[in-house]
Every structure is written in C-alpha cells, then in structure tokens.
Amino acid sequence: MGEHDQPVFLHVGGTTTGAEDLVVYLAANRAGLRRAGYGLHCFDVIGGEVDGLSDLMPGPAADEAAITDAAARLARRLAPDRKAGEEGFVLSMPDLAGPMPELLLGRFHSAARIRARTLARALGQPVERLVMVVQPYEVLFHAAWMRLALDRRIDAFADYAGVLAAFRGGWADLGSILVEELQVKELVVQTAPVTPARFVADLVPGLRLRQPVEPQAKPRVTPSAVAMVQRCLAQGTRLQPGQRDRLIAFHARQPQIVPDYGFSALALSDLRGRYVADLASLQQDHHAIVHGATQTALAAE
C-alpha cells in the first residue's frame, strides 16, 4: 500500500460536545483498531489542553509559508499512527476548527480554514468520511463558558449574551470549510449524544471491534459545579485537579436546574432558527447525513 492510499476517517467536534468520551473510547481501543487494520491518532486524553493542536497549527494570520511549515510538522506527528493502518487511518481532532475561548467573543472558529488547509496538506489526500459533532448554539456557548469557568474567574454568562446573539459564522459555514479544504467525500453530522459504539459505526462504516474496551465516561460539567468553583476562585482558593474532578463528579450526581442562558426570547428563537437552518444547509449543499434530533423536533424546542 502506498504512502497515501488508505482512506482517512476524521472526527471533529468541540470539547463541549461530549467529544472527550468519544476520544477516550478510541484511545482505549487503539489495539483493537490496529488488529482490525486501522491506525489511530487522537489528542492526549490525559494531558490534553483546551486546544490540543496549539503547538502545531499556524496562527490566524499565517501566510502560505507558515501553513506549509505547520503541515510538515503535523505530518511528522501523524506519520507513526498512519503507517499502522493498512485498512484506513482514524483521526480524531475535536478541536481542529480552533480553540474554544474564541466562541465567547462571537467568532465561530474564524481560523478554521487555515487549520483545515494545514491538515489537508499534512494528509496529502482527500478525507473519506467526516463525522462532525454539533450542538444547538445556546447550549454550545453556555457549555464553552462553563468549561472556561472551571479554570478562571469569569463574568456571568448573561454578560456575553449580547455578543453571542449576533455571532458570526456557524455550523453550516464550518462544515462547508471542512468539506472544501479537506475534500471530504461523505459528511455525517451528529446532533445528539450517541454511544461510543454508534460513533465508531458512523465514523468507519462496517468496522466491528472484537471485545471492545468500555472506559468509564467522564462526569458532565454542571452549572452547580461551576458555581462552586467560581465561589472558591472569588475567595482566592484554587482547586487542585483531583479536587476539581471530585467536585465535578459530586455535582454531576445532583439535580440541576435548567440554566438561564441570558438571551432575550427573540434572540433565543433566532439562535435556534439559525441552528435548524444550518443543519438544513448542510443536508442540501453537502448531502450530509444528519443523525440525532430531527429538524421538526429542533424547531419545536
């Protein structure tokens, strides 16, 4: 098999979409994937930062030379795992579109094209299948705020609502950029949480892992956990990673109130309408396969 002959299967989805569980599952089943003939590359699920590609990807103002240099570095990083796949190469890059903090500035992954172009040059071939995990915008933005609020003092989410209600870009633009730059042959959009086994079936059709490893899912970050962390930070107390993880796990088992996103009724309706329209656009323009909530159900929310 030649250097760039095996099909590439790519997973993209922000770190607020439950992507951690999917990456943990892939990493735990690396040996099983290799037995099935697939190489795997994914970010370090233990030591990964919010943007696991920050040391490789060029900046948003990068020129062609910088993109070419970054692509060469990325290709070297991918090479060992890529060589292990005779049947295909599975690539999980939840943060490919860009770092999460810029979402709260009203910019929906403005560096996605440069980053996707860098990956395309590193791969040197089209992507066979892309699975993009998405969320409704108000849920995505609030989840991004909660994730950042675990590490730093931050203004209330309602203070960001005005900027976020008028954010630029969206899932349709991101999907179009990824399809164009990576020459994606087939696009799958997951709009609702799925089991890791279903995720693998969506990502690599026909792949069946024998005796798959089932790692324990990470506890979900909840509003009450964030409120407790923010209270500690306000008092000058910084929780250690182990303490924070235990706090998150404890609050994940407690009843939660529905978060107040801070958007006006009109802004919230507009955000949900944009989400439904973006899914329809991905289906119409790129023949995307949409798994999860139907457009009718979304429109009724």
Side-chain angles (χ1 to χ4, degrees), residues 1-9 30-41 78-91 125 204 207:
M1 179 168 288
E3 182 182 1
H4 300 308
D5 286 343
Q6 87 268 58
V8 175
F9 304 95
R30 182 185 298 273
L33 285 166
R34 288 195 172 182
R35 285 194 297 269
Y38 293 87
L40 167 68
H41 180 86
L78 300 179
D81 295 321
R82 194 172 185 183
K83 290 178 181 178
E86 296 181 356
E87 298 295 328
F89 179 44
V90 178
L91 185 57
Q125 69 174 90
V204 188
L207 172 62

Side-chain angles (χ1 to χ4, degrees), residues 226-289:
V226 169
M228 181 61 70
V229 170
Q230 286 292 299
R231 186 178 304 169
C232 291
L233 292 174
Q235 295 172 351
T237 303
R238 178 168 290 276
L239 298 174
Q240 298 303 311
Q243 293 175 309
R244 190 182 67 179
D245 291 345
R246 289 191 292 273
L247 184 150
I248 292 172
F250 171 79
H251 282 272
R253 299 190 296 268
Q254 309 307 312
Q256 301 291 319
I257 63 173
V258 177
D260 179 5
Y261 295 118
F263 297 107
S264 68
L266 181 61
L268 188 58
S269 176
D270 182 61
L271 286 174
R272 292 173 174 173
R274 289 178 66 176
Y275 179 64
V276 172
D278 278 356
L279 294 183
S281 177
L282 290 171
Q283 287 181 304
Q284 179 178 342
D285 298 341
H286 302 293
H287 308 289
I289 301 169

Side-chain angles (χ1 to χ4, degrees), residues 89-166:
F89 179 44
V90 178
L91 185 57
S92 180
M93 289 185 159
D95 55 356
L96 174 64
M100 181 176 58
E102 74 167 4
L103 289 174
L104 295 185
L105 301 177
R107 299 194 298 266
F108 201 92
H109 300 313
S110 56
R113 185 173 295 279
I114 285 178
R115 294 165 73 98
R117 185 170 299 171
T118 301
L119 175 59
R121 292 187 185 179
L123 293 173
Q125 69 174 90
V127 168
E128 185 74 20
R129 192 175 179 93
L130 166 63
V131 172
M132 188 168 74
V133 184
V134 305
Q135 285 177 298
Y137 293 119
E138 73 277 10
V139 178
L140 173 73
F141 294 144
H142 188 259
W145 175 85
M146 287 201 299
R147 184 59 57 88
L148 293 174
L150 292 176
D151 297 316
R152 69 200 72 179
R153 286 283 292 153
I154 193 170
D155 293 333
F157 180 75
D159 294 339
Y160 295 89
V163 171
L164 294 176

